[in-house]
Amino acid sequence: MKLKPFRIEHYYAKYEFTAQFMLSSSDMQSRSVAELLALEPDARERFDALWLGYTESSGAPYLREAIAGMYSGISSDDVLVISSAEEGIFLVYHALLGVGDHVIVETPCYESGLELARSTGAEVSPWQRYFEDGWAHDLAALEALIRPNTKMIYINTPSNPTGINMKPEVFAAVMDLAKERGIIVFCDEVYRELEHDPSTRLPAACEVYENAISLGSMSKSYGLPGLRLGWSASRNRDLLEKCLHFKYYTTICSSAPSEFLTALALRQRKILLTRNLEIVRRNLPILEAFVARHESLFSWVKPNASPIGFPRVTIAGDVTDFCEQIVRETGVLLLPGGVYDQPQHVRMGYGRLNMPEALERLEGHLQSQNLKLEP
Ligand SMILES: Cc1ncc(COP(=O)(O)O)c(C=O)c1O
């Protein structure tokens, strides 16, 4: 298996734990263990008494039940718990794809969506979206990519890096195209439930199509990436069983404390989501006004889900150099779009409480640069 360097994670590894302001994070403001335990009256005692043995490989039954409860028509046997969505992407691709298969991947996307597909030896066709088209999904282009050996279509909605939710008619059409041909849909839904207007939420792929796998995570909408916990849900249990056989070789089972805290967080997820939606709804207009004030520098399709957006940057030089200079001089971390093969873009995040302060710092820097540029 050959893997290219993971550019997104590599860039983050360089700065994430030293930069003062995270202005590009795709995960929501987090919480402490104590804050989470305070959400249920006797949680502290139950957590203290937790047995630290191995857990069931498919996930603790009480946790699978809590996850299944988030969907309609999904039972706990339709859920496989995994140690992060990242593990899920690895398992699904490697358990279900190989040489001779063809997979279509919506791009630009989180890098493992593309590179882990390639690492299986399957042929990979990007289903490319373009900023110039408002990041629209071209269904005719998708249909033209389908081959007799197309085994899987990977989509990601709401999307990283655009922060845009797929239109319902596009989602339905993708499902129909796949259903008609028996193609598996692997739907990365890690930003689900963070639609800025909850009435725009799409059904989960696993609810509408038997051969679809929905990928979920505690990292993004719920703001708990330190739990390293995710899940795959599908009504096709054979697909999950194949993933489980791979999981025996990756993590065997998930972490018992994480399973406990995840089940608690999911039971109380309305509280988490209410606070997280408050943050994005407060921050996004501030970011929108910033983009408008600097319209000669930034242009974007305003995001409608998740805590990220992906503006185009109009500068003479290299955008990665621009981002590196900003983080060195101001401590504000942006993610250069080159890591998504979109070198004219930057990913910005608005899921942190201190976003207004971070933006102010960035704006001060941009203004000082302009002053320097003036004769
Ligand atoms: C679309 C997408 N899928 C999966 C992941 C991985 O998430 P996790 O933290 O659960 O491994 C990310 C993280 O950025 C992501 O953006």
Side-chain angles (χ1 to χ4, degrees), residues 183-223:
I183 297 170
I184 297 164
V185 175
F186 182 24
C187 191
D188 186 331
E189 299 170 1
V190 300
Y191 300 96
R192 195 158 182 270
E193 298 206 326
L194 206 67
E195 301 80 7
H196 304 168
D197 172 359
S199 72
T200 62
R201 184 165 309 144
L202 295 170
C206 63
E207 292 172 336
V208 296
Y209 175 35
E210 187 182 299
N211 292 322
I213 302 169
S214 290
L215 183 70
S217 170
M218 292 313 289
S219 298
K220 310 299 179 179
S221 306
Y222 311 105

